[in-house]
Amino acid sequence: MKITEDTIRHVAKLARLAVSDEDVAKLAPQLSDIMDYNEQLQSVALDDVPPTSHPFELYNALREDEPRPSLPREKALANAPDTDGEQVRVPAVLEG
Amino acid sequence: MPIHTVKEIVESLKRRETTPVDWTSASLKEISQHDSKVQAFLHVDEEGAMNRAKSLSENGNASLFGVPYALKDNLCTEGIRTTAASRILENYIPPYSATVVKKLEAAGGVLVGKTNMDEFAMGSSTENSAFQKTKNPYDLNCVPGGSSGGSAAAVAAGMVPFALGSDTGGSIRQPAAFCGVVGLKPTYGRVSRFGLIAFASSLDQIGPFTRTVEDAAYVMQAISGHDPLDSTSAPVDVDDFISGLSADVKGLKIGVVTDIDSEGLHPDVRAAVDKAVETLRSAGAEVVEVQLPHSQYAVATYYLIAPAEASSNLARYDGVRYGKRAVGETLLEMYERTRSEGFGMEVKRRIMIGTYALSSGYYDAFYLRAQKMRTLIRQDYEAAFEQCDVIVTPTAPTPAFRFGEKVDNPLQMYLNDMYTIPANLAGLPGISVPCGVSADGLPIGLQMVGRAFDERTLLRAAYAYEQLRGFAMPAPKVEG
């Protein structure tokens, strides 16, 4: 399965990754090889097989809806790259 | 004083022949002597460890009282830097500790440091660490395996009696095999993943590296159990793993896989594993032939499911709440630059594969098909376990390889996990036990896979083999 350089650029955008031309040239053949290998799943009849998303059957794990302490603000903000002391700060989301 | 086994340390402390400070000092001394060569540790908390050991001088009843240990650096430790060996978390100091860390604290353990790994646990050689290359203590020109290479090497070199790692496709068992130690991946849900930096959430499990199977049982006893903070941890009672250990294999049914893919299987590995099966047979175990017809598709299945889950899990590293942030004019530019500068090549590659496999038009063809194949792989094991109690294979197709040998060929690197991946897809427990040494003097691992939540039988079988195998692993000669 041939993955083109354009596809790599598109996927990188979806994944929010800035990729250099050099990276693109390296990733295209590598991802093509990996997806070629993964193509072998196409040769198996799987239409009637149910999918597994977890190794064991899991149902919603619920607890009582009781208020309890959560991470205090100072601790939650301690690792943030930029804050105003109360909230994290980011570059402008909207222009104007 | 060289580092002993967990059991020897626990018993010596119980008899009050030694103190926790003695063992912590011994561990720190081994680290200072060997780690400049091995480079297993990303961080050694000398002061914290000594303070902790001193505070333990009374009250010696906890199960791992006074035992020093190390943690893979993807396990969160409150107040101690936790990086997952990634630039993007280079300065991350977790505000909480993983459940396993709290359990080891409650059991009386003494954390001495955090170990190197492949970035975000993605890799089979620990070469993908953003910070350093960990060496195999048996041959410093060879990789320790991965992704938990630092934990495996730290135990193999005698720097700690045990360490924890995580295993998503073999990341405990394969480095254990490469470094000549015991490595156990528990049943999915047996050990809480709370506080483990997520890679692929439906596959990840935390487990121990030790020098003996009995030690693995000790550590498993301390870290297992349901945790309300991990909704995927199983509300299943924890057995007594230690009392189940016995060298008697009569009545034990060992499954040997007849349709296993042995292309690329190293002759020394094949010979050592065959010999191990003979050892078990001649001691009275019943050897039966089983088939796992879909395991040939396991690597392809895994390299769709794991990257898909990773691409979603790693979306959180966006430079906003924690971790590295790069400068960008707009929010989008900030995201893209942060992730581009913060992640290494293998992590980017897997995010890209996962994003591609989940993207519009490809979801059914790749991700959904992989999930369906996962069902067939699980069903193969269910059928096989109607005939046997544990399934025996090599842990890895080859002994440890040299640095750089596979870095430019990701697919070759992925195929190194062909024997370990199926147990992750099926959620089953697996253990690697040393079963010999190659002509080059490198350790070889025997893998045993057991039924879900039957670590008791798995540990019993592994312990019996270890008692019967008739040799002790030669200690590595780390000079320096």
Side-chain angles (χ1 to χ4, degrees):
Chain A
M1 160 156 219
K2 176 99 176 108
I3 296 180
T4 63
E5 296 194 357
D6 282 349
T7 305
I8 295 288
R9 286 199 180 84
H10 170 66
V11 172
K13 205 159 206 73
L14 292 177
R16 301 288 184 262
L17 288 167
V19 284
S20 65
D21 289 348
E22 199 187 324
D23 287 347
V24 171
K26 207 167 153 183
L27 283 165
Q30 285 178 342
L31 262 65
S32 296
D33 276 359
I34 294 164
M35 293 310 286
D36 267 345
Y37 181 82
N38 292 347
E39 281 267 296
Q40 57 180 296
L41 296 189
Q42 309 301 325
S43 64
V44 189
L46 291 166
D47 287 353
D48 300 328
V49 180
T52 293
S53 56
H54 257 273
F56 307 109
E57 278 185 64
L58 272 175
Y59 302 96
N60 288 335
L62 302 175
R63 60 166 173 82
E64 290 305 308
D65 185 17
E66 287 161 350
R68 51 181 191 182
S70 55
L71 201 62
R73 176 181 274 173
E74 321 77 76
K75 278 193 157 191
L77 290 176
N79 278 289
D82 190 11
T83 79
D84 66 2
E86 293 189 340
Q87 302 169 79
V88 293
R89 203 156 31 195
V90 294
V93 178
L94 300 169
E95 285 178 35
Chain B
M1 179 165 69
I3 280 294
H4 291 47
T5 64
V6 171
K7 189 192 180 190
E8 286 163 355
I9 295 174
V10 166
E11 290 185 345
S12 163
L13 286 164
K14 276 213 176 97
R15 291 192 300 264
R16 298 191 178 265
E17 295 164 357
T18 50
T19 66
V21 169
D22 293 338
W23 294 108
T24 297
S25 312
S27 169
L28 292 169
K29 192 174 162 216
E30 294 293 320
I31 293 168
S32 72
Q33 278 178 355
H34 299 306
D35 207 41
S36 58
K37 282 272 164 66
V38 178
Q39 292 184 269
F41 283 87
L42 288 175
H43 174 68
V44 180
D45 186 15
E46 208 162 311
E47 197 188 328
M50 285 308 286
N51 287 339
R52 163 81 172 153
K54 282 175 196 156
S55 77
L56 284 173
S57 50
E58 306 295 319
N59 178 27
N61 288 324
S63 65
L64 296 172
F65 175 78
V67 182
Y69 71 94
L71 292 171
K72 185 177 184 179
D73 206 26
N74 60 354
L75 291 162
C76 285
T77 41
E78 185 176 352
I80 299 174
R81 203 165 69 109
T82 300
T83 67
S86 180
R87 293 273 171 222
I88 215 159
L89 287 176
E90 194 165 3
N91 298 308
Y92 177 63
I93 297 175
Y96 61 88
S97 284
T99 295
V100 288
V101 178
K102 290 196 164 151
K103 279 181 175 272
L104 290 178
E105 262 169 35
V110 178
L111 174 66
V112 297
K114 309 289 296 281
T115 59
N116 196 27
M117 55 185 282
D118 284 300
E119 183 179 4
F120 284 106
M122 297 179 188
S124 308
S125 67
T126 312
E127 289 168 288
N128 295 331
S129 166
F131 305 118
Q132 66 196 36
K133 283 190 180 20
T134 298
K135 316 295 188 296
N136 189 313
Y138 281 87
D139 182 345
L140 299 176
N141 297 309
C142 287
V143 302
S147 66
S148 314
S151 286
V155 173
M159 297 190 273
V160 280
F162 82 92
L164 295 188
S166 64
D167 188 315
T168 307
S171 283
I172 290 173
R173 291 159 288 160
Q174 185 257 22
F178 279 16
C179 291
V181 296
V182 174
L184 172 66
K185 179 200 92 76
T187 309
Y188 183 84
R190 176 60 100 185
V191 176
S192 168
R193 293 182 297 110
F194 179 77
L196 167 68
I197 294 177
F199 161 14
S201 305
S202 79
L203 303 163
D204 298 341
Q205 262 293 288
I206 299 165
F209 288 91
T210 53
R211 296 232 289 286
T212 67
V213 175
E214 190 171 33
D215 280 5
Y218 270 78
V219 180
M220 278 300 294
Q221 207 71 58
I223 63 173
S224 297
H226 178 250
D227 177 11
L229 296 175
D230 172 5
S231 62
T232 64
S233 86
V236 174
D237 288 342
V238 178
D239 299 315
D240 186 334
F241 301 126
I242 301 161
S243 73
L245 302 177
S246 153
D248 183 8
V249 290
K250 292 204 178 59
L252 194 69
K253 288 184 183 163
I254 307 285
V256 172
V257 187
T258 54
D259 54 352
I260 200 163
D261 181 3
S262 56
E263 202 189 311
L265 180 60
H266 191 288
D268 294 356
V269 175
R270 183 197 298 262
V273 170
D274 287 351
K275 195 175 163 208
V277 171
E278 269 322 299
T279 300
L280 287 161
R281 192 203 306 265
S282 53
E286 189 184 335
V287 176
V288 296
E289 295 189 342
V290 297
Q291 285 78 42
L292 298 172
H294 297 93
S295 66
Q296 60 175 307
Y297 301 109
V299 175
T301 303
Y302 176 86
Y303 277 97
L304 290 163
I305 289 175
E309 293 187 16
S311 70
S312 161
N313 269 328
L314 271 63
R316 74 189 67 181
Y317 303 104
D318 57 4
V320 173
R321 289 158 303 156
Y322 43 75
K324 179 189 168 70
R325 175 189 293 189
V327 178
E329 289 292 308
T330 63
L331 191 64
L332 183 63
E333 202 175 281
M334 187 278 279
Y335 288 157
E336 290 186 343
R337 285 190 186 167
T338 296
R339 292 164 61 78
S340 178
E341 291 170 22
F343 292 138
M345 205 56 196
E346 180 61 22
V347 173
K348 287 181 195 169
R349 203 151 36 222
R350 297 209 197 182
I351 291 174
M352 300 272 289
I353 297 168
T355 305
Y356 181 76
L358 290 174
S359 65
S360 169
Y362 293 109
Y363 180 92
D364 284 3
F366 291 116
Y367 185 64
L368 187 63
R369 285 192 84 80
Q371 286 189 309
K372 289 178 169 191
M373 182 55 79
R374 190 172 181 182
T375 303
L376 297 180
I377 290 168
R378 255 181 52 203
Q379 290 172 348
D380 283 352
Y381 275 108
E382 279 165 23
F385 281 125
E386 282 176 15
Q387 302 169 63
C388 66
D389 301 311
V390 293
I391 294 173
V392 167
T393 65
T395 304
T398 66
F401 46 89
R402 289 176 167 263
F403 287 98
E405 212 175 296
K406 295 176 199 278
V407 278
D408 291 326
N409 192 337
L411 190 56
Q412 271 315 108
M413 189 75 97
Y414 298 173
L415 288 170
N416 206 261
D417 298 332
M418 59 189 287
Y419 297 131
T420 46
I421 280 174
N424 295 83
L425 292 169
L428 302 173
I431 191 167
S432 181
V433 186
C435 69
V437 177
S438 73
D440 297 332
L442 292 166
I444 296 170
L446 175 77
Q447 176 178 239
M448 292 179 168
V449 172
R451 294 187 184 95
F453 300 105
D454 194 7
E455 282 88 354
R456 193 175 148 96
T457 302
L458 182 68
L459 283 160
R460 179 191 151 204
Y463 177 80
Y465 168 69
E466 188 188 45
Q467 302 305 304
L468 295 165
R469 71 185 174 191
F471 68 90
M473 274 306 287
K477 295 189 185 74
V478 185
E479 303 299 328

